[in-house]
Amino acid sequence: MNRRPERMGPARRIAPWLGLLLLLLAGFAQADVFRPAYLELREAGSDTYDVTWKVPAQDETTRLALYVVLPEGTENVTEPRAVFVDGAVLERWRIRRPGGLVGQRIRIEGRATTVSDVIARVERADGTSQVERLKVDDPHFTVAAPAGTGEVAWAYLVLGIEHILAGIDHLLFVLALLLVVRGARRIVATVTAFTVAHSITLVAATLGWVHVPGPPVEAIIALSIVFVAAEVVHGLRGKPGLTARAPWLVAFSFGLLHGLGFAGALAEVGLPQVAIPVALLMFNVGVEVGQLLFVAAVLALGALLRRLPWRPPARLQYAAPYAIGTVAMFWVFERVASFWG
């Protein structure tokens, strides 16, 4: 009895092309540990601010060439003191500028401005804050007057969208799930389970209810991608695994880990003390919006490629899961090695 060929879902239709692309990019893969440069200006008194400048580095002397340029008229009250901690050079000093910094432009200069993201945060004396993610082609921002709740909500919504769309490891996990799961209802259930899970741990870790070291979490997140990539291969060989039978269970279980990763990213930025619930909610909503945009793009591309007259060889279906698994396994080794770095 001949078996009827199995109908491929939209995500699987683009698997050969994705596999080729991922194999080309595998050599350039970098682990998605969210490590931007970070500038904090904390109002300490009349026209006075405490500055914290954190730059990714290999050691005390080897750091990214990024430097803060403060507005004219700014003077140092104390000289910068630098220490190397957790893969970054951390500088702290106090400044004073007559009239304060509101309305003033602050720039980041240096050879590495196109290499690293820069997050800037201004913490005001009244508890409000301003958070900016600076553009690599023009890294500057203007210190604003105290913002309302709406501005805080919008800033953290955009930050959440940008983080998930730049988070290659999180997107690869979702992509691997889409290569396993078929049917609109099962896809919705799987994505919902992932969302609920990462929302739980994002809130718990951000509010300090759960404390988990970052490096092991990042390594296990990479390992979760390897697991789902292997499940894709098992399905292609006619031996569907747990992910194919209960994708929502796998998505929920690993989603708890990915939420801890999102919390690590949010910890780099911090939360405004007077609007913690709003900022936390909108960051989570932003992560979800970015995730849904990615899922929609994958499914739309799959539907488009279905119309092409050319059909790739069946063997090429293995390219995507093997490429995803290879890149993820590289991240596992890299992140485990960082435990002793």
Side-chain angles (χ1 to χ4, degrees), residues 89-224:
V89 169
L90 188 66
E91 293 182 84
R92 300 183 195 272
W93 71 101
R94 176 168 287 190
I95 62 170
R96 180 186 297 114
R97 184 184 183 280
L101 294 177
V102 174
Q104 299 299 311
R105 176 170 163 164
I106 295 173
R107 305 193 318 276
I108 305 298
E109 293 185 350
R111 295 189 305 275
T113 53
T114 59
V115 176
S116 177
D117 291 327
V118 179
I119 299 295
R121 177 184 177 87
V122 180
E123 191 71 31
R124 306 181 185 91
D126 64 0
T128 62
S129 61
Q130 173 186 357
V131 179
E132 302 280 353
R133 185 167 186 165
L134 309 189
K135 298 179 180 178
V136 294
D137 57 341
D138 189 18
H140 79 275
F141 74 102
T142 299
V143 178
T149 302
E151 292 172 284
V152 171
W154 176 254
Y156 278 85
L157 174 70
V158 172
L159 194 64
I161 294 173
E162 290 179 341
H163 174 62
I164 187 65
L165 293 181
I168 304 300
D169 53 357
H170 302 298
L171 294 183
L172 280 187
F173 178 79
V174 173
L175 175 59
L177 284 175
L178 293 176
L179 293 176
V180 176
V181 182
R182 274 167 275 173
R185 296 177 69 177
R186 287 169 68 86
I187 289 175
V188 169
T190 302
V191 171
T192 300
F194 184 65
T195 298
V196 170
H198 73 61
S199 298
I200 291 172
T201 46
L202 170 61
V203 171
T206 303
L207 296 181
W209 301 340
V210 175
H211 297 279
V212 182
V217 168
E218 295 294 343
I220 299 174
I221 285 175
L223 199 59
S224 73

